[in-house]
Amino acid sequence: MRIGILGSGSGSNMQAILDAIEDGSLDAEIALVLSDNPDAFILDRAKQHDIPTALIDCRGFKTKFPDEAQTETAAALKDAEVDLVCLAGFMRLVKQPLLDAFPQRILNIHPSLLPAYPGLNAWKQALDDGATEAGCTVHHVDAGMDTGPTILQAKVPVLPGDSAASLHARIQVEEHRIYPEAIRIVTGVAS
Ligand code: GAR
């Protein structure tokens, strides 16, 4: 199974998927890593592992994912013969035509127990809201923001004295565990 990954930041979730492949618990290959951010560390991580990378050109748009860039992204993923697309810290909203190119084959990881706290900085939303429980969700991507059907969730406690950073770090431990597991569930691919 060939996976394409889209990310805008550090790429620790991509690293978790790669680790699962390397330790033999996920029978897959990361075929391509795409980023809208030329400085994203996810690109460095991919290069360190000889994984092909490409930039998604969204110049002129701070947050929007223009149709043209979505078409180019879909073409790059098809050229790389990708079977499954994983969003891993990708901060733009995927819509048609990318959705149409990979029906039921685009997953996302989000740092909250959806449907609670969609959107940006979900762990901070939970903290500001006085939540006693937080977590993460892997879900199918549809045209909404963090709205597709859930595949897996994991909970973590919000502890007294938590900062946004400490809570996010606790959530990320669970993200790294459930993302490879969700891929196994969706594709039926284990080693
Ligand atoms: C992760 O916590 C992920 O859930 C979040 O960005 C972080 C990326 O970390 N994604 C979103 O908030 C998407 N709405 P990473 O680059 O280290 O994988």
Side-chain angles (χ1 to χ4, degrees):
M1 190 207 18
R2 291 170 69 78
I3 299 175
I5 295 193
L6 272 60
S8 306
S10 140
S12 70
N13 278 289
M14 181 206 75
Q15 187 69 54
I17 293 166
L18 198 53
D19 290 348
I21 293 169
E22 287 181 351
D23 75 16
S25 60
L26 182 65
D27 186 10
E29 182 184 342
I30 301 180
L32 180 63
V33 172
L34 289 145
S35 182
D36 56 326
N37 172 9
D39 300 322
F41 189 56
I42 194 170
L43 293 172
D44 298 315
R45 289 187 199 260
K47 285 171 193 160
Q48 281 163 19
H49 289 87
D50 295 323
I51 297 168
T53 61
L55 270 179
I56 300 170
D57 186 1
C58 295
R59 272 174 301 183
F61 298 95
K62 197 160 174 238
T63 54
K64 197 173 169 239
F65 192 178
D67 278 0
E68 203 173 86
Q70 302 224 16
T71 304
E72 281 169 16
T73 299
L77 291 163
K78 289 284 181 191
D79 283 352
E81 298 179 356
V82 159
D83 305 299
L84 181 76
V85 180
C86 292
L87 309 185
F90 186 66
M91 295 310 193
R92 293 177 197 257
L93 213 52
V94 170
K95 291 205 182 277
Q96 287 78 13
L98 186 46
L99 283 176
D100 290 345
F102 291 92
Q104 304 298 317
R105 287 275 145 173
I106 306 182
L107 311 186
N108 181 43
I109 183 129
H110 183 76
S112 78
L113 297 170
L114 289 172
Y117 313 125
L120 289 179
N121 298 327
W123 60 91
K124 191 168 177 303
Q125 295 184 50
L127 208 55
D128 292 347
D129 202 28
T132 55
E133 202 168 56
C136 49
T137 303
V138 180
H139 64 96
H140 287 281
V141 173
D142 64 14
M145 188 195 282
D146 304 321
T147 51
T150 293
I151 300 156
L152 262 186
Q153 288 189 315
K155 292 178 182 173
V156 301
V158 180
L159 298 178
D162 256 339
S163 63
S166 66
L167 179 56
H168 189 209
R170 192 174 308 117
I171 291 170
Q172 284 222 283
V173 171
E174 292 303 305
E175 289 188 336
H176 302 159
R177 185 178 65 77
I178 69 168
Y179 213 168
E181 181 62 26
I183 294 170
R184 278 182 220 114
I185 288 170
V186 166
T187 62
V189 171
S191 63

